Short mmCIF file of all heavy atoms in Angstrom, two decimals:
data_model
loop_
_atom_site.label_atom_id
_atom_site.label_comp_id
_atom_site.label_asym_id
_atom_site.label_seq_id
_atom_site.Cartn_x
_atom_site.Cartn_y
_atom_site.Cartn_z
N ALA H 1 0.88 -1.25 0.00
CA ALA H 1 -0.02 0.02 0.00
C ALA H 1 0.86 1.28 -0.04
O ALA H 1 0.59 2.25 -0.67
CB ALA H 1 -0.92 0.07 1.24
N LEU H 2 1.92 1.23 0.81
CA LEU H 2 2.85 2.36 0.82
C LEU H 2 3.54 2.55 -0.52
O LEU H 2 3.67 3.68 -0.98
CB LEU H 2 3.91 2.13 1.90
CG LEU H 2 5.07 3.17 2.12
CD1 LEU H 2 4.46 4.47 2.51
CD2 LEU H 2 6.13 2.67 2.93
N LEU H 3 3.90 1.43 -1.17
CA LEU H 3 4.47 1.57 -2.51
C LEU H 3 3.55 2.21 -3.51
O LEU H 3 3.95 3.12 -4.19
CB LEU H 3 4.81 0.13 -2.99
CG LEU H 3 5.15 -0.05 -4.45
CD1 LEU H 3 6.58 0.68 -4.77
CD2 LEU H 3 5.36 -1.49 -4.83
N LEU H 4 2.30 1.87 -3.59
CA LEU H 4 1.35 2.46 -4.47
C LEU H 4 1.18 3.95 -4.14
O LEU H 4 1.07 4.72 -5.08
CB LEU H 4 0.05 1.66 -4.41
CG LEU H 4 0.10 0.15 -4.79
CD1 LEU H 4 -1.32 -0.49 -4.60
CD2 LEU H 4 0.54 0.05 -6.25
N VAL H 5 1.14 4.24 -2.93
CA VAL H 5 0.87 5.64 -2.61
C VAL H 5 2.08 6.49 -2.96
O VAL H 5 1.97 7.54 -3.53
CB VAL H 5 0.64 5.85 -0.95
CG1 VAL H 5 0.68 7.25 -0.58
CG2 VAL H 5 -0.68 5.22 -0.70
N MET H 6 3.31 6.00 -2.73
CA MET H 6 4.45 6.76 -3.03
C MET H 6 4.72 6.93 -4.51
O MET H 6 5.13 7.95 -4.99
CB MET H 6 5.77 6.10 -2.37
CG MET H 6 5.71 6.30 -0.82
SD MET H 6 7.38 5.92 -0.10
CE MET H 6 7.52 4.18 -0.47
N VAL H 7 4.36 5.88 -5.29
CA VAL H 7 4.43 5.98 -6.73
C VAL H 7 3.44 7.02 -7.29
O VAL H 7 3.74 7.85 -8.16
CB VAL H 7 4.33 4.65 -7.42
CG1 VAL H 7 4.17 4.77 -8.97
CG2 VAL H 7 5.41 3.74 -6.99
N ALA H 8 2.20 7.00 -6.67
CA ALA H 8 1.19 7.96 -7.06
C ALA H 8 1.64 9.43 -6.90
O ALA H 8 1.41 10.24 -7.74
CB ALA H 8 -0.12 7.67 -6.35
N VAL H 9 2.24 9.68 -5.69
CA VAL H 9 2.67 11.00 -5.40
C VAL H 9 3.88 11.42 -6.32
O VAL H 9 4.09 12.63 -6.57
CB VAL H 9 2.94 11.26 -3.93
CG1 VAL H 9 1.71 11.07 -3.11
CG2 VAL H 9 4.08 10.32 -3.41
N SER H 10 4.65 10.39 -6.72
CA SER H 10 5.80 10.60 -7.61
C SER H 10 5.31 11.03 -8.92
O SER H 10 5.86 12.02 -9.54
CB SER H 10 6.63 9.41 -7.69
OG SER H 10 7.35 9.05 -6.52
N VAL H 11 4.29 10.41 -9.46
CA VAL H 11 3.63 10.81 -10.74
C VAL H 11 3.09 12.20 -10.63
O VAL H 11 3.20 13.05 -11.58
CB VAL H 11 2.53 9.89 -11.04
CG1 VAL H 11 1.76 10.39 -12.33
CG2 VAL H 11 3.09 8.52 -11.34
N ALA H 12 2.67 12.67 -9.49
CA ALA H 12 2.13 14.06 -9.27
C ALA H 12 3.23 15.01 -9.15
O ALA H 12 3.02 16.24 -9.05
CB ALA H 12 1.25 14.04 -8.02
N GLY H 13 4.51 14.66 -9.15
CA GLY H 13 5.60 15.58 -9.10
C GLY H 13 6.44 15.51 -7.80
O GLY H 13 7.40 16.33 -7.75
N VAL H 14 6.08 14.70 -6.86
CA VAL H 14 6.84 14.65 -5.59
C VAL H 14 8.05 13.67 -5.78
O VAL H 14 7.87 12.55 -6.13
CB VAL H 14 5.97 14.14 -4.41
CG1 VAL H 14 6.81 14.08 -3.13
CG2 VAL H 14 4.85 15.11 -4.18
N HIS H 15 9.25 14.16 -5.65
CA HIS H 15 10.35 13.32 -5.84
C HIS H 15 10.40 12.11 -4.90
O HIS H 15 10.01 12.29 -3.71
CB HIS H 15 11.66 14.14 -5.65
CG HIS H 15 12.93 13.45 -6.22
ND1 HIS H 15 13.54 12.41 -5.55
CD2 HIS H 15 13.59 13.71 -7.34
CE1 HIS H 15 14.62 12.02 -6.34
NE2 HIS H 15 14.65 12.73 -7.41
N PRO H 16 10.80 10.89 -5.33
CA PRO H 16 10.79 9.70 -4.40
C PRO H 16 11.53 10.04 -3.18
O PRO H 16 11.20 9.42 -2.13
CB PRO H 16 11.41 8.68 -5.36
CG PRO H 16 11.15 9.04 -6.69
CD PRO H 16 11.16 10.54 -6.77
N VAL H 17 12.64 10.82 -3.22
CA VAL H 17 13.45 10.97 -1.93
C VAL H 17 12.56 11.65 -0.96
O VAL H 17 12.79 11.43 0.32
CB VAL H 17 14.69 11.79 -2.30
CG1 VAL H 17 14.38 13.19 -2.59
CG2 VAL H 17 15.64 11.73 -1.14
N ILE H 18 11.56 12.46 -1.30
CA ILE H 18 10.70 13.16 -0.39
C ILE H 18 9.79 12.11 0.31
O ILE H 18 9.71 12.07 1.49
CB ILE H 18 9.95 14.24 -1.05
CG1 ILE H 18 10.91 15.25 -1.72
CG2 ILE H 18 8.99 14.92 -0.03
CD1 ILE H 18 10.17 16.34 -2.48
N SER H 19 9.15 11.35 -0.46
CA SER H 19 8.19 10.32 0.03
C SER H 19 8.91 9.30 0.80
O SER H 19 8.43 8.85 1.90
CB SER H 19 7.41 9.71 -1.01
OG SER H 19 8.29 9.18 -2.07
N ILE H 20 10.10 8.86 0.43
CA ILE H 20 10.83 7.86 1.18
C ILE H 20 11.31 8.40 2.48
O ILE H 20 11.27 7.73 3.50
CB ILE H 20 12.13 7.32 0.28
CG1 ILE H 20 11.53 6.53 -0.87
CG2 ILE H 20 12.99 6.53 1.14
CD1 ILE H 20 12.61 6.18 -1.89
N SER H 21 11.83 9.65 2.50
CA SER H 21 12.31 10.27 3.80
C SER H 21 11.16 10.39 4.65
O SER H 21 11.32 10.23 5.90
CB SER H 21 12.99 11.62 3.50
OG SER H 21 14.18 11.45 2.62
N THR H 22 9.98 10.79 4.17
CA THR H 22 8.82 11.05 5.04
C THR H 22 8.34 9.62 5.61
O THR H 22 8.05 9.52 6.81
CB THR H 22 7.60 11.55 4.22
OG1 THR H 22 8.14 12.85 3.66
CG2 THR H 22 6.40 11.80 5.09
N ALA H 23 8.32 8.61 4.76
CA ALA H 23 7.93 7.31 5.17
C ALA H 23 8.89 6.73 6.35
O ALA H 23 8.40 6.20 7.29
CB ALA H 23 7.92 6.29 4.04
N HIS H 24 10.21 7.04 6.16
CA HIS H 24 11.18 6.49 7.10
C HIS H 24 10.81 7.18 8.40
O HIS H 24 10.86 6.53 9.50
CB HIS H 24 12.56 6.75 6.62
CG HIS H 24 13.60 6.62 7.68
ND1 HIS H 24 13.82 5.45 8.35
CD2 HIS H 24 14.45 7.54 8.27
CE1 HIS H 24 14.77 5.56 9.23
NE2 HIS H 24 15.20 6.85 9.19
N GLY H 25 10.63 8.49 8.36
CA GLY H 25 10.36 9.22 9.65
C GLY H 25 9.17 8.75 10.43
O GLY H 25 9.11 8.74 11.60
N LEU H 26 8.11 8.37 9.63
CA LEU H 26 6.86 7.94 10.21
C LEU H 26 6.90 6.44 10.70
O LEU H 26 6.33 6.11 11.69
CB LEU H 26 5.75 8.08 9.29
CG LEU H 26 5.48 9.61 8.93
CD1 LEU H 26 4.31 9.57 7.84
CD2 LEU H 26 5.00 10.40 10.11
N LEU H 27 7.67 5.64 9.91
CA LEU H 27 7.63 4.21 10.22
C LEU H 27 8.82 3.71 11.17
O LEU H 27 8.62 2.68 11.76
CB LEU H 27 7.70 3.37 8.88
CG LEU H 27 6.56 3.58 7.99
CD1 LEU H 27 6.89 2.73 6.68
CD2 LEU H 27 5.27 3.15 8.52
N ALA H 28 9.82 4.54 11.30
CA ALA H 28 10.93 4.09 12.13
C ALA H 28 10.51 3.64 13.55
O ALA H 28 11.09 2.62 14.05
CB ALA H 28 11.95 5.23 12.19
N PRO H 29 9.65 4.36 14.25
CA PRO H 29 9.27 3.89 15.59
C PRO H 29 8.71 2.45 15.64
O PRO H 29 8.67 1.86 16.69
CB PRO H 29 8.18 4.90 16.08
CG PRO H 29 8.46 6.13 15.26
CD PRO H 29 8.95 5.59 13.91
N MET H 30 8.12 2.00 14.55
CA MET H 30 7.56 0.60 14.44
C MET H 30 8.58 -0.40 14.11
O MET H 30 8.23 -1.62 14.16
CB MET H 30 6.42 0.52 13.49
CG MET H 30 5.17 1.25 14.01
SD MET H 30 3.92 1.56 12.73
CE MET H 30 4.54 3.13 12.01
N SER H 31 9.80 -0.11 13.81
CA SER H 31 10.90 -0.96 13.55
C SER H 31 10.48 -2.02 12.53
O SER H 31 10.54 -3.28 12.77
CB SER H 31 11.35 -1.72 14.88
OG SER H 31 11.80 -0.73 15.71
N PRO H 32 9.97 -1.68 11.33
CA PRO H 32 9.65 -2.63 10.32
C PRO H 32 10.98 -3.35 9.82
O PRO H 32 12.06 -2.93 9.96
CB PRO H 32 9.05 -1.76 9.11
CG PRO H 32 9.71 -0.45 9.39
CD PRO H 32 9.82 -0.31 10.83
N ASP H 33 10.72 -4.47 9.17
CA ASP H 33 11.89 -5.26 8.64
C ASP H 33 12.68 -4.35 7.66
O ASP H 33 12.02 -3.84 6.68
CB ASP H 33 11.34 -6.49 7.88
CG ASP H 33 12.58 -7.27 7.37
OD1 ASP H 33 13.21 -8.00 8.15
OD2 ASP H 33 12.87 -7.22 6.09
N PRO H 34 13.99 -4.08 7.93
CA PRO H 34 14.72 -3.15 7.09
C PRO H 34 14.77 -3.56 5.63
O PRO H 34 14.77 -2.82 4.72
CB PRO H 34 16.09 -3.08 7.70
CG PRO H 34 16.12 -4.36 8.58
CD PRO H 34 14.78 -4.69 8.99
N ASN H 35 14.97 -4.91 5.34
CA ASN H 35 15.10 -5.32 3.95
C ASN H 35 13.84 -5.23 3.27
O ASN H 35 13.77 -4.80 1.96
CB ASN H 35 15.47 -6.79 3.89
CG ASN H 35 17.00 -7.02 4.35
OD1 ASN H 35 17.86 -6.30 3.84
ND2 ASN H 35 17.25 -7.89 5.20
N LEU H 36 12.67 -5.46 3.91
CA LEU H 36 11.32 -5.31 3.27
C LEU H 36 11.21 -3.81 2.90
O LEU H 36 10.66 -3.50 1.77
CB LEU H 36 10.24 -5.67 4.15
CG LEU H 36 8.78 -5.56 3.71
CD1 LEU H 36 8.53 -6.51 2.47
CD2 LEU H 36 7.78 -5.73 4.79
#
C-alpha cells in the first residue's frame, strides 16, 4: 500500500526521495523489517 501511494505522489511531481524520507520518519518507531 505504501508503494502504491508513493508512486502515485511521484507521478504528481513529488520526488521519491521526499516520500521515502517521510515514510522513514513515520515508520521508524515501528521498527519494520529493514530489507522489506
Side-chain angles (χ1 to χ4, degrees):
L2 178 64
L3 169 65
L4 298 178
V5 170
M6 291 195 293
V7 172
V9 298
S10 293
V11 172
V14 178
H15 195 284
V17 72
I18 301 176
S19 54
I20 292 172
S21 298
T22 303
H24 169 60
L26 295 176
L27 297 177
M30 285 168 276
S31 300
D33 180 79
N35 286 314
L36 179 68

